[in-house]
Amino acid sequence: MERVFNFSAGPSMMPESVLKKAAEEMLNYDGSGMSVMEMSHRSPVYEKIISDAERLLRQVMEIPDHYKVLFLQGGASTQFAAVPLNLMKSGKADYVLSGQFSTKAYQEAKKYGDARVAASSKEDNFSHVPKTVREDFRADADYVHICLNNTIYGTKFSALPDTGDVPLVADLSSCILSEPVDVSRFGLIYAGAQKNMAPAGLTVVIVREDLIGIARENTPTMLDYKVMADNNSMYNTPPCYCIYVAKLVYEWILSLGGLTAMKARNEKKAALLYGYLDRQDYYLAPVSKDSRSMMNVTFVTGDAELDKKFCAEAAKEGLVNLKGHRSVGGMRASIYNAMPYEGVEKLVEFMDKFAKENPKA
């Protein structure tokens, strides 16, 4: 069977060349006579893999020297607790609610201190990112938290909020590596890797050094950034194979021209899909144009049965995992880095064909 175009929101499709490289090295990595899956994380050969992965990520994202890169486990959801445990020095934090995951992060933070909603678009079903000004945030907050790209609703911050001197913390799970990011604008970035970076199981944290070492005393050891930084992400056995595949992905991105080239590729794909949505009236794109995600494109027919039929027939054409999140319905096309332009072309062709063959009553 031919490979399908996988529009899953995560775990998502991987670059084909990365999969082939991993397959070639599955039984014998770099002459070691074993798979990366089998080797000790304390061995010299693996220590080079994880150090190369960090070096390459720093290169790809142009991460300043005074930031630590941590390769962790537990998914981005574990960071919902780790962030307040590590950063809530005075016990205050402001949250911008733009979707389900920022809401979950806020609810978790409330367990550890005075977490406050600074802005929210919940009343509009998260169809846009809430606009803020500096005065919306408390000057004495320990940090301001956002989810930069909202996978479920298909929205993204078009500009970072102005938080003044208060550190900005951002969940970049579904948009990391899709375009250049000025890391120095953030106090901390975290991201689950399974959307744009690696298989599920790896979480990357990029944290400014002055925000390390201030965790509350009862912070679990495994969630303490200082412990992880002091041990080079190897306090315990890390997600070894995921880190190895992430390294291959970083190499792939660099081979294509880095994040500037990746942004151009992604903008071209998104323009094709949004362009089609904007010039027809069969499908509705519910997201405000100024908040549209480049990674996750949501749309509906307005008829639940037609939506269901659309997803079923699309799958027969090799266009899989287009069903929208259960809380939103409709369809969602996740067009991460690894999705080729041809996949979006085929999707648009199918959308047009489906609309003509399935007129609404």
Side-chain angles (χ1 to χ4, degrees), residues 195-250:
K195 301 174 186 291
N196 236 3
M197 189 184 295
L202 169 65
T203 306
V204 171
V205 170
I206 302 166
V207 55
R208 208 171 62 207
E209 288 181 348
D210 64 297
L211 298 176
I212 297 175
I214 56 174
R216 60 183 63 193
E217 288 184 10
N218 62 347
T219 299
T221 301
M222 287 296 295
L223 299 187
D224 191 325
Y225 296 145
K226 187 176 190 308
V227 170
M228 294 302 155
D230 288 348
N231 288 276
N232 298 314
S233 301
M234 292 204 286
Y235 173 80
N236 69 322
T237 306
C240 297
Y241 198 76
C242 293
I243 295 169
Y244 154 70
V245 176
K247 179 182 82 77
L248 298 183
V249 170
Y250 306 151

Side-chain angles (χ1 to χ4, degrees), residues 13-209:
M13 68 184 300
M14 298 284 295
E16 195 166 308
S17 62
V18 167
L19 294 176
K20 288 179 177 177
K21 177 72 170 174
E24 289 170 8
E25 297 179 334
M26 175 60 75
L27 296 179
N28 184 359
Y29 175 78
D30 197 28
S32 66
M34 68 181 85
S35 169
V36 176
M37 285 186 178
E38 304 170 289
M39 62 181 57
S40 166
H41 62 294
R42 304 295 182 191
S43 65
V45 64
Y46 187 77
E47 286 180 355
K48 185 175 188 309
I49 289 173
I50 194 169
S51 64
D52 282 351
E54 178 179 341
R55 174 181 56 80
L56 289 164
L57 180 57
R58 286 184 176 277
Q59 182 180 347
V60 169
M61 292 186 68
E62 298 182 0
I63 299 171
D65 291 341
H66 63 293
Y67 283 73
K68 291 289 188 182
V69 173
L70 309 177
F71 294 118
L72 308 177
Q73 299 172 70
S77 296
T78 297
Q79 295 307 309
F80 298 166
V83 166
L85 284 167
N86 280 272
L87 270 56
M88 257 192 186
K89 194 164 48 174
S90 71
K92 293 182 180 179
D94 288 344
Y95 280 70
V96 178
L97 306 190
S98 56
Q100 186 178 107
F101 294 111
S102 54
T103 300
K104 286 184 174 181
Y106 159 69
Q107 291 170 339
E108 189 72 14
K110 286 196 297 181
K111 299 176 182 177
Y112 305 108
D114 176 14
R116 167 182 166 270
V117 176
S120 173
S121 54
K122 182 179 180 180
E123 67 280 1
D124 296 320
N125 197 35
F126 297 122
S127 60
H128 63 90
V129 169
K131 297 191 184 324
T132 60
V133 294
R134 184 183 294 194
E135 290 70 32
D136 292 326
F137 306 112
R138 294 176 289 187
D140 60 346
D142 294 315
Y143 62 87
V144 173
H145 179 284
I146 65 170
C147 182
L148 193 61
N149 186 86
N150 300 282
T151 320
I152 291 174
Y153 295 92
T155 62
K156 180 181 181 290
F157 281 78
S158 57
L160 295 179
D162 179 3
T163 63
D165 294 328
V166 179
L168 180 62
V169 173
D171 179 351
L172 264 64
S173 294
S174 54
C175 62
I176 196 166
L177 303 182
S178 63
E179 61 183 330
V181 170
D182 183 357
V183 175
S184 68
R185 294 284 306 277
F186 302 87
L188 185 148
I189 289 169
Y190 66 90
Q194 69 275 11
K195 301 174 186 291
N196 236 3
M197 189 184 295
L202 169 65
T203 306
V204 171
V205 170
I206 302 166
V207 55
R208 208 171 62 207
E209 288 181 348

